């Protein structure tokens, strides 16, 4: 996380006192806990060596073994020796101070989950099918005995899926298969638990195979979207918008799909009535007026931001348990959804505990966004759809999406109006103050968004150019809340305590959205609702991580691929959790989000381990919960600034 030395002036802060506040931009920790980088790592390394020398008990029910696997320990030692040899071989005059890593790790090492299993069992055996659909051409194993010979050892004696649902659908491929395999290798079933779970509401918003095939073959018809786009392109140029910014291309020219033949024949003018198939209903003819749409009343509620990578369904379940009122899925690219990509549709899944849930769409063109909105309107169950106008990454910005829409007012208007027309649920917008640091655009766009039919706007108090190098501009958010009235506006940025949330609400916003604060401490929602600082213990924090792994195994599966996917998202989350400083160690409350934690020794070993900013120690924590990492495993966090060396 990039820090700024000017952070001391944040709203609600008090005067710093004591020795811990001598260094700007660093969290003030009590003197008895502070240490140096060398002593910090010596403490963890010494404990690691002691654990390696001790015999590990077999069958630990909670998987709380702190020792490193032998292969991994050898790799670490070899890497340290090679690093020392390279350092000694380089002349002192050529050695330079290491440059602080910032930005994204775009070339991260990644082992595909399919490579973890050398021998993979045919899915037909797991589905108990009579025959394999591929016959002799099948690339997978059909010999269960041979598969079990090469399968790695179980990671624990209990299977989360078997205990929760009464049956594990992964059978012998489950990494906890010993909990539900009979003497003959058959998959056991708890009939009572299965009968009880039949009445539980399932996870919603999945993509069925038939719809996926239709999307891939471009056989889905978007009549409602086509009509809305035709009206938008034929409407007169909006007042105040230069002629050069008005879209001149037809929706088909901007679309990633082939044009749909909805006119009944070649050469028919586009203005002719659309041919229909089947009987007409009132829904086909009568459109909902804006006042008849489902209302979105979330004023005063705590809104968990749509967090890319870390805002997955298991993490949202954790936040819901601690008091989050509104949740939103990760940013989904509309073109990927229209192509039927399973990985993109997985971002739309909704757990039964998410009572107020929305999805966020990203796109640069009105045709793809409107068609995607119509598709979601008739296939998934959500309470609102959010349009992403705040994504700052180059991959999105250079294509005209995300923050770039703030400078493309004509396209922005067509997207909002088109999406709003085809949806039966409210439309919201998440945006930044602007693109450039000194040129704010939000206050000029908010009145237009209100006129375009947006139900709610969330404003992140930074520009694209600033990223996280400055504090959120809450005085500007206050100005925008007045301009946007009566449309509700939520504020977002730098909320890490209930004092920060109280100060934010004093600006006149309808509510607060919490993003990084939830990653650093998901119990922040409880602190805000109970107006207190929670000095949470390291064992309680480990229990939260254990619950996350259980939710992850339910969501991604308990086979090798599911376990390693759960581990990957756990490690990404740990790259943020390490920045949290326990309340009992601070000289001054609360911790500021822009203050980096210094090196300190916690009140126990686990608290110290959780404060480590090295990826190797995050892997140790993951091994306590998910067992040893596979051979050749490597991890770097998504952002370079998350792993200090």
């Amino acid at each position: 996380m990039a820090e700024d030395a000017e952070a001391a002036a944040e709203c609600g802060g008090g005067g710093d006192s004591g020795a811990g506040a001598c260094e700007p931009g660093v969290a003030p920790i009590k003197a008895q806990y502070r240490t140096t980088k060398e002593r910090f790592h010596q403490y963890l390394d010494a404990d690691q060596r002691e654990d390696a020398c001790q015999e590990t008990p077999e069958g630990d029910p909670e998987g709380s073994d702190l020792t490193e696997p032998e292969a991994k320990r050898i790799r670490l030692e070899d890497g340290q020796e090679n690093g020392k040899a390279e350092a000694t071989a380089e002349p002192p005059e050529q050695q330079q101070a290491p440059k602080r890593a910032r930005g994204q790790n775009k070339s991260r090492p990644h082992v595909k989950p399919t490579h973890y299993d050398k021998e993979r069992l045919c899915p037909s055996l797991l589905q108990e099918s009579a025959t394999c659909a591929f016959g002799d051409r099948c690339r997978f194993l059909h010999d269960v005995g041979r598969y079990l010979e090469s399968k790695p050892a179980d990671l624990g004696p209990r299977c989360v899926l078997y205990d929760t649902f009464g049956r594990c659908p992964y059978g012998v491929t489950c990494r906890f298969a010993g909990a539900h395999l009979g003497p003959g290798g058959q998959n056991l079933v708890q009939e009572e638990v299965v009968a009880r779970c039949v009445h539980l509401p399932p996870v919603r918003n999945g993509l069925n195979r038939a719809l996926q095939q239709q999307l891939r073959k471009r056989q889905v018809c978007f009549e409602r979207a086509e009509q809305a786009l035709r009206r938008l392109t034929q409407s007169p140029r909006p007042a105040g918008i230069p002629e050069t910014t008005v879209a001149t291309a037809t929706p088909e020219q901007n679309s990633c799909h082939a044009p749909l033949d909805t006119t009944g024949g070649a050469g028919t003018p586009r203005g002719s009535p659309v041919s229909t198939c089947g009987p007409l209903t009132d829904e086909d003819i009568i459109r909902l007026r804006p006042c008849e749409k489902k209302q979105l009343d979330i004023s005063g509620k705590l809104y968990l931001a749509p967090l890319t990578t870390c805002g997955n369904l298991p993490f949202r379940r954790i936040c819901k348990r601690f008091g989050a009122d509104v949740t939103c899925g990760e940013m989904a690219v509309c073109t990927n959804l229209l192509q039927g990509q399973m990985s993109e549709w997985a971002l739309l899944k909704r757990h039964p505990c998410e009572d107020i849930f929305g999805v966020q769409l990203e796109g640069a063109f009105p045709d793809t966004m409107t068609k995607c909105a119509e598709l979601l309107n008739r296939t998934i169950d959500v309470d609102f759809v959010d349009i992403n106008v705040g994504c700052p990454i180059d991959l999105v910005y250079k294509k005209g999406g995300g923050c770039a829409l703030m400078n493309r007012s004509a396209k922005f208007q067509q997207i909002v109006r088109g999406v709003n027309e085809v949806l039966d649920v409210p439309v919201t917008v998440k945006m930044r103050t602007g693109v450039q640091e000194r040129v704010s655009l939000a206050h000029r766009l908010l009145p237009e968004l209100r006129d375009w039919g947006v139900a709610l706007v969330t404003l992140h108090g930074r520009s694209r150019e600033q990223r996280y190098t400055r504090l959120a501009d809450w005085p500007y958010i206050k100005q925008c809340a007045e301009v946007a009235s009566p449309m509700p506006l939520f504020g977002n940025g730098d909320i890490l305590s209930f004092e920060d949330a109280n100060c934010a609400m004093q600006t006149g916003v309808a509510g607060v959205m919490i993003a990084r604060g939830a990653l650093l401490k998901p119990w922040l929602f409880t602190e805000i609702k109970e107006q207190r600082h929670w000095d949470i213990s390291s064992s309680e924090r480990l229990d939260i991580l254990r619950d996350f792994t259980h939710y992850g195994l339910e969501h991604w599966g308990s086979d090798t691929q599911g376990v390693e996917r759960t581990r990957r998202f756990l490690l990404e989350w740990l790259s943020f959790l390490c920045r949290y400083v326990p309340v009992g160690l601070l000289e001054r409350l609360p911790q500021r989000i822009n203050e980096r934690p210094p090196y300190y020794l916690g009140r126990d070993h686990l608290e110290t381990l959780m404060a480590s900013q090295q990826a190797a120690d995050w892997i140790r924590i993951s091994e306590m919960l998910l067992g040893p990492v596979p051979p050749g495993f490597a991890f770097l966090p998504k952002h370079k600034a998350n792993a200090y060396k």
Side-chain angles (χ1 to χ4, degrees):
M1 176 173 53
E3 290 81 18
D4 182 32
E6 302 173 359
E10 184 176 0
C11 177
D16 295 339
S17 61
C22 58
E23 188 177 353
V26 178
I29 292 182
K30 297 177 181 178
Q32 63 266 34
Y33 298 108
R34 300 194 66 163
T35 185
T36 63
K37 178 179 180 180
E38 292 75 16
R39 292 180 179 177
F40 178 86
H41 291 296
Q42 285 176 2
Y43 173 78
L44 292 181
D45 293 342
D47 180 82
Q48 182 178 350
R49 287 192 296 269
E50 291 177 2
D51 289 341
C53 295
Q54 297 175 357
E55 293 183 0
T56 60
E58 297 182 359
D60 187 0
E62 295 295 336
S64 57
D65 185 14
L66 287 174
T67 60
E68 298 283 2
E70 183 67 19
K72 180 172 179 293
R73 184 178 59 81
I74 295 175
R75 292 198 308 272
L76 290 174
E77 293 176 354
D78 292 343
Q80 292 173 357
E81 292 176 359
N82 294 337
K84 293 178 181 178
E86 292 176 0
T88 55
E90 186 177 1
E93 59 273 8
Q94 296 182 3
Q95 294 181 3
Q96 298 179 355
K99 186 178 180 180
R100 183 178 178 183
R102 301 177 70 174
Q104 287 187 325
N105 280 318
K106 297 184 178 180
S107 301
R108 293 185 293 162
H110 178 63
V111 179
K112 292 185 178 181
T114 54
H115 294 174
Y116 290 129
D117 285 331
K118 296 181 180 179
E119 302 285 354
R120 301 186 64 190
L121 198 64
C122 180
S124 64
L125 298 179
L126 300 179
Q127 299 167 2
E128 300 178 355
S129 302
T131 57
C132 177
F134 295 96
D136 297 336
R137 297 180 292 110
C138 184
R139 298 180 291 109
F140 301 116
L141 281 178
H142 289 261
D143 187 351
V144 178
R146 180 181 168 188
Y147 171 79
L148 292 176
E149 291 177 358
S150 60
K151 181 189 174 185
D154 283 358
L155 299 176
R158 302 184 66 88
C159 175
V160 177
L161 297 177
Y162 181 68
D163 293 341
T164 306
F165 304 106
R167 180 182 182 275
C168 179
Y170 295 91
V172 294
T173 63
C174 175
R175 295 303 305 274
F176 310 87
H180 50 78
L181 289 184
Q186 70 276 19
N187 200 24
L188 302 179
V189 178
Q190 302 181 76
E191 298 294 344
E192 296 180 358
V193 180
V194 172
R196 188 168 61 247
C197 293
V198 168
H199 305 287
L200 296 178
V203 174
R204 289 168 284 178
N205 300 347
L207 175 63
N208 60 63
R209 185 68 62 180
L211 178 58
Q212 184 186 37
Q213 292 297 329
Q214 291 177 354
L215 289 171
R216 289 179 174 178
K217 296 179 180 180
R218 299 178 178 176
Q219 295 175 348
V220 179
C221 186
F222 300 98
E223 294 183 2
R224 194 170 174 181
E226 289 286 353
Q227 294 174 7
L229 291 167
R230 192 177 304 122
R231 284 191 290 269
L232 287 174
T233 54
Q234 292 177 353
S235 61
R237 177 165 52 92
I241 297 179
E243 186 175 358
T244 55
T245 62
V246 177
T248 57
T250 62
E252 287 77 14
Q253 290 172 329
N254 288 331
S255 175
C256 65
H257 292 270
L260 296 173
D261 185 12
T262 60
T263 58
T268 308
R270 290 193 54 83
S272 61
V274 178
S275 60
T276 60
C277 178
L280 289 175
T281 63
D282 290 344
E283 186 179 0
D284 297 320
I285 303 173
I286 304 174
R287 298 291 179 231
L288 288 176
R289 293 180 298 172
C291 61
E292 296 175 331
K293 270 194 174 187
K294 179 182 177 181
Q295 299 299 312
L296 182 65
D297 184 15
I298 60 173
S299 296
K301 296 184 181 295
L302 297 178
Y303 188 166
L304 174 64
L307 302 165
T308 303
T309 303
C310 292
N312 45 67
L313 186 144
F315 177 77
R316 298 199 303 269
R317 290 182 64 181
I318 294 290
C319 293
K320 284 295 294 184
R321 202 182 70 190
F322 283 111
D325 298 312
V326 185
T327 55
C328 187
E330 303 174 62
M331 179 187 74
V333 180
C334 65
T335 52
N336 295 341
L337 294 174
L338 289 171
Q339 292 168 4
Q341 293 186 14
M342 291 294 294
S343 58
E344 207 73 18
W345 277 82
L347 305 179
L348 311 179
K349 288 189 176 181
R350 175 180 188 172
H351 192 266
C353 71
E354 298 180 276
D355 48 350
I356 305 178
F357 175 73
V359 296
Q360 188 180 67
L361 291 182
E362 183 278 321
F365 300 103
D367 57 336
T368 53
M369 285 288 284
T370 306
K371 291 176 182 177
C372 185
E374 181 186 358
L375 177 65
L376 299 185
N377 189 67
R378 62 192 188 206
T379 55
I380 67 173
D381 177 24
V382 293
D383 298 299
F384 62 93
V385 173
D386 187 73
I387 300 176
N388 185 304
V389 196
C391 183
I393 63 174
D394 294 339
L395 183 65
V396 173
Y397 180 81
K398 291 181 178 179
K399 293 182 179 180
C403 278
L405 286 175
M406 299 187 71
N407 281 332
R408 306 170 70 212
S409 54
K411 280 283 189 286
F412 191 10
Q413 178 183 190
Q414 291 176 348
I415 288 175
V416 173
R417 288 187 181 276
V419 169
N420 194 27
E421 186 170 342
V422 299
L423 282 177
D424 297 333
V425 295
V427 175
T428 65
V429 170
K430 186 176 187 294
M431 61 194 304
R432 289 178 177 256
T433 60
V435 177
Q436 297 177 340
E437 181 175 357
R438 301 184 184 276
V439 183
S440 297
L441 302 174
H443 66 282
R444 297 204 299 253
L445 291 172
L446 286 171
E448 298 184 11
L449 289 172
R450 182 181 57 214
D451 297 337
W452 298 343
V454 173
L456 179 142
V457 172
T458 304
L459 180 59
H460 183 188
R462 294 183 181 87
S463 65
R464 176 183 184 266
E465 191 177 37
Q466 287 173 332
R467 293 296 178 95
Y468 294 103
T469 59
R470 296 289 185 273
L471 291 172
D473 191 351
W474 278 97
Y476 180 71
I477 295 178
K478 179 179 180 181
Q479 174 188 347
C480 290
E482 297 172 354
V483 173
S485 181
M487 179 181 64
L489 184 137
F490 270 52
N492 170 230
D494 300 339
I495 297 177
L496 192 60
S497 64
F498 72 88
E499 290 99 335
D500 296 334
N502 295 343
C503 183
M505 291 300 297
Q506 293 174 6
T507 61
V509 296
V512 292
M513 173 183 279
I514 300 174
R516 286 184 303 161
L519 294 175
L520 269 64
K521 52 177 188 179
W523 54 92
L524 174 60
F525 302 98
T526 301
E527 291 187 349
I528 295 175
K529 290 190 172 181
E530 299 181 0
Q531 294 288 293
R532 67 181 177 96
H533 293 291
W534 185 354
D535 189 11
I536 190 168
S537 65
S538 59
S539 60
E540 289 175 308
R541 292 163 64 191
L542 185 64
D543 289 338
I544 295 174
L545 297 178
R546 182 174 291 111
D547 290 339
F548 175 84
T549 58
H550 290 174
Y551 297 157
L553 294 175
E554 290 181 21
H555 183 58
W556 292 301
S558 59
D559 58 346
T560 301
Q561 183 172 343
V563 168
E564 296 311 318
R565 187 167 295 173
T566 303
R567 189 194 306 274
R568 174 202 162 199
F569 287 108
L570 173 64
L571 293 172
E572 291 286 358
W573 184 21
L574 286 172
S575 69
F576 287 91
L577 277 175
C578 67
R579 308 182 203 177
Y580 169 73
V581 179
V583 170
L585 276 60
L586 288 170
E587 278 192 343
R588 180 258 301 150
L589 293 175
Q591 178 188 358
R592 306 296 182 198
I593 202 168
N594 62 306
E595 294 174 340
R596 67 180 183 274
Y599 288 97
Y600 64 89
L601 297 179
R603 291 164 291 189
D604 53 51
H605 173 263
L606 184 58
E607 194 169 72
T608 307
L609 181 63
M610 289 182 171
S612 176
Q613 298 167 350
Q614 287 195 349
D617 292 320
W618 306 336
I619 294 176
R620 290 180 61 189
I621 296 175
S622 77
E623 290 177 329
M624 296 165 58
L625 303 169
L626 294 170
V629 297
F633 181 84
F635 173 77
L636 276 179
K638 186 176 181 181
H639 298 285
K640 293 179 181 177
N642 293 357
Y644 302 102
K645 294 297 184 181

